[in-house]
């Protein structure tokens, strides 16, 4: 092969070279037993029809690209947000390799997470011995100040009891008796990554706060902020900045923004930043706990209301204009702090940006998929921009969430033609991109395959992907951006309107025929 140290090529254009093309052709001819191009095209065209869509939506026993991840992934992210905490997954090693690489590819950072590597014998006899050895080794090797344990499918199917296992590990001397080991059962075969985050956070609450303790809400003068499953690191920073500008004392409960964005300065940081144990112990004494993604923080809300005795003030994700206003006004009402002129100025700049971009975004149709709170906030913002979110899909959304979405859409002149789907996957979404074609789709990196399919039908059928959400594997540094607050709205608006203008550019490139200038003075 022609790959050499003087001329290193990536997969494209490397695989376009003759030797690779000949290799692919030989494999195709000898081993694949594939149908001919004409038959493949015939079937492809059929999968773009209303007839196929009806069949696709009638399937019951198969999920194709589910538009969600599994519970332990969320538990690991939650654990990474605590100071000097090592995420520990009780289960098979392959699962943990998946979690680590998933985060590695999104954040471009090494991710500390260990497994006790359950194999066939543990599946028969239980993973008690694995837990004992794993906790002891993790403590000795990586010297964390806390180990947060979650589970995979194997441990859940055989019924391993984390409470008993961790208690026995302490009793038998594998870890010190006073060493904190928060845990959560996170079976992958139910729920999703957002459920796992909520379950793990409840585990931290149970470790550091107790039902039989009398707390004094408001006595520390702080607000608690719980983001939920949040992968835009800029969102942690923008919330902190807004609260700091307001002069509000706060505690960010689970904050991985430092450990997942460490500098390259010659020093490796396995642990960086994060919520401290003292902050968790003091959390019940705060004025209130604001949950920024309430649709998936079900157990967290119950803990805040019933154990901590706080009101758990209702809040929508602070995304876009109105819901950021609502967030800041509720913070102001709870703390007595005025909203400063700096944030009013920032708000005014956002309104000015919306006005500037209105002519390009008004009436544009968008297909949207992702997690419930993120999709709800994004759709709300699209409606504020005069866009029409005509297809909305959320695999892990509830029926109650769907009703809330439909009401919000019905209340807007731009949501009248919208359709909301819950419990459906990206193969359903693919059908909708052909039969209910929007101008753009918004979602994570997996949407690129749907864009390629729409383009394969013909340029007129292409639905370009705008990358907002998680995971983003095929673009760099977007995880440092922000989608919350006025700043996040500015970023999303910039992304959306420039995608529209980029599409117009791509359609007006033919020299002397379509090369109109749409926003350029010669």
């Amino acid at each position: 092969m022609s790959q050499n140290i003087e001329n290193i090529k990536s997969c494209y254009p490397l695989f376009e070279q003759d030797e690779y093309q000949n290799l692919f052709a030989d494999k195709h001819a000898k081993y694949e037993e594939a149908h001919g191009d004409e038959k493949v095209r015939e079937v492809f065209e059929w999968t773009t029809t209303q007839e196929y869509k009806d069949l696709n939506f009638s399937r019951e026993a198969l999920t194709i690209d589910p538009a969600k991840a599994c519970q332990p992934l969320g538990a690991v992210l939650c654990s990474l947000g605590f100071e000097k905490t090592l995420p520990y997954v009780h289960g098979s090693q392959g699962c943990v390799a998946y979690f680590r690489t998933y985060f590695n590819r999104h954040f471009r950072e090494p991710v500390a997470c260990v497994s006790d590597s359950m194999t066939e014998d543990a599946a028969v006899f239980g993973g008690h011995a694995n837990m004992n050895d794993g906790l002891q080794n993790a403590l000795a090797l990586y010297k964390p100040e806390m180990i947060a344990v979650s589970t995979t499918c194997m441990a859940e199917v055989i019924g391993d009891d984390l409470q008993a296992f961790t208690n026995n590990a302490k009793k038998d001397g594998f870890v010190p008796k006073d060493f904190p080991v928060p845990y959560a059962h996170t079976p992958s075969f139910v729920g999703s990554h957002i459920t796992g985050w909520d379950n793990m956070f409840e585990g931290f609450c149970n470790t550091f706060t107790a039902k039989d303790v009398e707390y004094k809400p408001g006595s520390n003068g702080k607000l608690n902020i719980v983001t939920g499953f949040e992968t835009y690191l800029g969102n942690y920073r923008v919330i902190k900045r807004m609260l700091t500008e307001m002069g509000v004392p706060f505690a960010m409960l689970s904050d991985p923004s430092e450990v997942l964005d460490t500098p390259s300065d010659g020093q490796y940081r396995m642990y960086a930043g994060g919520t401290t144990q003292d902050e968790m112990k003091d959390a019940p004494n705060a004025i209130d706990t604001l949950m920024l993604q309430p649709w998936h923080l079900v157990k967290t809300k119950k803990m805040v209301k019933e154990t901590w005795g706080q009101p758990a003030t209702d809040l929508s994700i602070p995304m876009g204009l109105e819901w950021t206003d609502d967030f800041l006004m509720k913070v102001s009402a709870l703390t007595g702090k005025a909203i400063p002129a700096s944030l009013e100025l920032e708000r005014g700049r956002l309104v000015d940006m919306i006005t500037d971009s209105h002519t390009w975004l008004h009436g544009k149709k968008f297909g949207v998929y992702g997690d419930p709170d993120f999709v709800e906030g994004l759709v709300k913002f699209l409606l504020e921009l005069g866009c029409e979110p005509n297809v909305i899909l959320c695999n892990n959304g509830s029926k109650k969430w769907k009703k809330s979405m439909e009401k919000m859409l019905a209340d807007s002149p731009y949501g009248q033609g919208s359709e909301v789907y819950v419990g459906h996957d990206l193969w359903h979404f693919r059908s909708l991109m052909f039969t209910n074609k929007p101008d753009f789709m918004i979602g994570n990196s997996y949407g690129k395959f749907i864009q390629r399919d729409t383009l394969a039908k013909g340029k007129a059928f292409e639905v370009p992907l705008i990358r907002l959400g998680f995971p983003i594997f095929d673009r760099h540094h977007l995880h440092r951006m922000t989608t919350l607050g006025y700043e996040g709205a500015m970023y999303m608006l910039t992304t959306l309107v420039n995608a529209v203008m980029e599409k117009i550019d791509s359609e007006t490139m033919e020299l002397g025929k379509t090369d109109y200038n749409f926003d350029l003075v010669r």
Side-chain angles (χ1 to χ4, degrees):
M1 302 300 177
S2 59
Q3 186 80 290
N4 59 71
I5 195 169
E6 283 79 25
N7 186 19
I8 295 175
K9 300 181 177 71
S10 60
C11 60
Y12 174 81
L14 176 67
F15 293 154
E16 289 294 300
Q17 296 177 123
D18 289 343
E19 51 263 56
Y20 282 101
Q21 289 298 309
N22 293 336
L23 182 68
F24 297 152
D26 187 60
K27 176 176 177 290
H28 179 75
K30 291 181 179 179
Y31 306 111
E32 292 182 3
E33 299 181 6
H35 290 286
D37 293 344
E38 184 176 341
K39 182 63 176 179
V40 170
R41 187 70 195 181
E42 177 189 339
V43 173
F44 170 80
E45 291 291 342
W46 175 61
T47 67
T48 70
T49 63
Q50 182 67 41
E51 177 190 14
Y52 181 81
K53 174 195 165 184
D54 294 339
L55 285 172
N56 191 13
F57 273 77
S58 67
R59 61 182 159 92
E60 297 178 357
L62 176 67
T63 297
I64 305 173
D65 202 347
K68 67 175 182 179
C70 60
Q71 281 207 52
L73 185 87
V76 169
L77 182 64
C78 179
S79 304
L80 288 168
F82 288 85
E83 185 184 51
K84 295 183 180 177
T85 298
L86 181 67
Y88 177 113
V89 182
H90 179 54
S92 59
Q93 189 170 352
C95 294
V96 177
Y98 155 65
F99 307 146
R100 292 181 64 179
T101 56
Y102 215 73
F103 286 136
N104 289 154
R105 293 164 66 199
H106 179 81
F107 293 109
R108 314 287 169 178
E109 290 283 343
V111 173
C113 180
V114 298
S115 164
D116 52 22
S117 303
M118 291 173 65
T119 52
E120 291 83 353
D121 57 342
V124 175
F125 301 109
H128 198 176
N130 294 69
M131 177 74 82
N132 288 341
D133 292 342
L135 289 174
Q136 186 178 37
N137 289 337
L139 189 60
L141 288 171
Y142 304 115
K143 296 176 175 53
E145 293 183 2
M146 181 159 48
I147 296 176
V149 181
S150 54
T151 55
T152 65
C153 295
M154 179 189 289
E156 290 297 324
V157 168
I158 64 178
D160 279 358
D161 184 342
L162 290 185
Q163 182 177 9
F165 283 13
T166 54
N167 287 344
N168 288 339
K170 291 182 177 182
K171 183 182 68 175
D172 296 336
F174 291 99
V175 291
K177 290 185 178 181
D178 59 350
F179 188 82
V181 186
Y183 63 85
H185 286 275
T186 52
S188 298
F189 43 80
V190 294
S192 69
H193 54 287
I194 60 175
T195 320
W197 199 102
D198 188 36
N199 287 339
M200 191 70 248
F201 189 79
E202 182 193 35
F204 280 95
C205 294
N206 287 330
T207 298
F208 294 105
T209 64
K211 294 180 180 179
D212 56 354
V213 175
E214 185 175 346
Y215 296 107
K216 297 179 179 179
S219 60
N220 68 11
K222 294 182 179 181
L223 279 182
N224 295 326
I225 303 296
V226 180
T227 64
F229 188 92
E230 178 56 72
T231 56
Y232 279 95
L233 302 182
N235 284 344
Y236 298 92
R237 292 162 184 162
V238 76
I239 295 296
K240 293 177 189 176
R241 176 179 63 79
M242 290 194 299
L243 294 177
T244 299
E245 288 184 30
M246 289 183 70
V248 174
F250 65 92
M252 185 76 75
L253 304 184
S254 183
D255 178 7
S257 60
E258 294 302 316
V259 74
L260 293 176
D261 195 17
T262 58
S264 182
D265 58 3
Q267 177 186 351
Y268 171 61
R269 298 165 175 83
M270 178 173 285
Y271 311 111
T275 304
T276 66
Q277 295 182 30
D278 287 340
E279 285 177 310
M280 277 304 298
K281 292 173 184 176
D282 191 40
N285 296 316
I287 298 167
D288 199 359
T289 298
L290 298 182
M291 287 154 279
L292 305 190
Q293 299 192 73
W295 282 109
H296 75 255
L297 295 173
V298 179
K299 290 186 176 180
T300 300
K301 185 171 184 177
K302 184 178 180 182
M303 175 67 69
V304 170
K305 290 176 74 73
E306 297 182 4
T307 300
W308 297 359
Q310 296 174 6
T313 298
D314 288 335
L315 190 72
S316 297
I317 186 170
M319 189 179 286
L321 183 65
E322 183 179 341
W323 284 356
T324 299
D325 290 349
D326 183 56
F327 169 73
L328 293 175
M329 288 189 288
K330 285 181 177 176
V331 168
S332 180
L334 287 167
T335 63
K337 301 288 187 178
I339 299 173
S342 60
L343 293 178
E344 291 182 3
L345 186 64
E346 189 175 346
R347 183 187 191 277
R349 290 189 178 120
L350 171 59
V351 173
D352 183 62
M353 288 177 66
I354 292 173
T355 305
D356 292 342
S357 301
H358 176 72
T359 53
W360 299 107
L361 291 172
H362 175 77
K364 290 291 186 290
K365 291 181 170 59
F366 292 86
V368 181
Y369 65 90
D371 295 330
D373 292 284
F374 179 82
V375 167
E376 183 184 46
L378 180 56
V379 168
K380 172 68 173 176
F381 186 48
L382 289 173
L383 297 175
E384 291 177 337
L385 297 175
C387 302
E388 299 176 13
N390 68 324
V391 175
I392 299 160
L393 184 141
C394 182
N395 184 294
N396 45 5
S398 64
K399 292 180 180 179
K400 187 176 179 181
W401 176 86
K402 181 181 179 182
K403 288 182 179 179
S404 176
M405 287 292 296
E406 289 173 339
K407 182 182 184 307
M408 180 174 71
L409 292 161
D411 290 341
S412 170
Y414 308 111
Q416 301 305 303
S418 301
E419 297 179 2
V420 182
Y421 299 88
V422 297
H424 292 82
D425 56 42
L426 287 185
W427 195 251
H428 293 117
F429 193 77
R430 176 188 180 274
S431 283
L432 292 165
M433 293 302 96
F434 288 109
T435 61
N436 302 45
K437 182 184 179 300
D439 297 300
F440 299 88
M441 62 178 129
I442 304 175
N444 61 28
S445 288
Y446 292 113
K448 74 186 299 178
F449 299 109
I450 301 175
Q451 179 180 350
R452 289 175 178 179
D453 277 5
T454 59
L455 178 59
K457 187 174 174 67
K459 185 65 178 177
F461 298 92
E462 183 183 14
V463 183
L465 170 65
I466 298 173
R467 289 162 175 81
L468 289 170
F470 171 83
I472 305 294
F473 292 151
D474 58 338
R475 297 291 186 272
H476 281 218
H477 311 304
L478 297 187
H479 65 277
R480 291 189 174 90
M481 300 298 104
T482 177
T483 59
L484 300 185
Y486 305 128
E487 182 181 330
M490 291 177 188
Y491 164 68
M492 292 193 296
L493 173 56
T494 302
T495 302
L496 294 172
V497 72
N498 285 330
V500 171
M501 300 179 93
E502 182 70 26
K503 184 180 180 184
I504 296 173
D505 259 338
S506 71
E507 294 169 347
T508 56
M509 285 289 187
E510 194 172 350
L511 195 63
K513 185 175 180 181
T514 64
D515 54 339
Y516 316 112
N517 75 296
F518 64 88
D519 206 25
L520 187 66
V521 178
R522 295 182 187 271

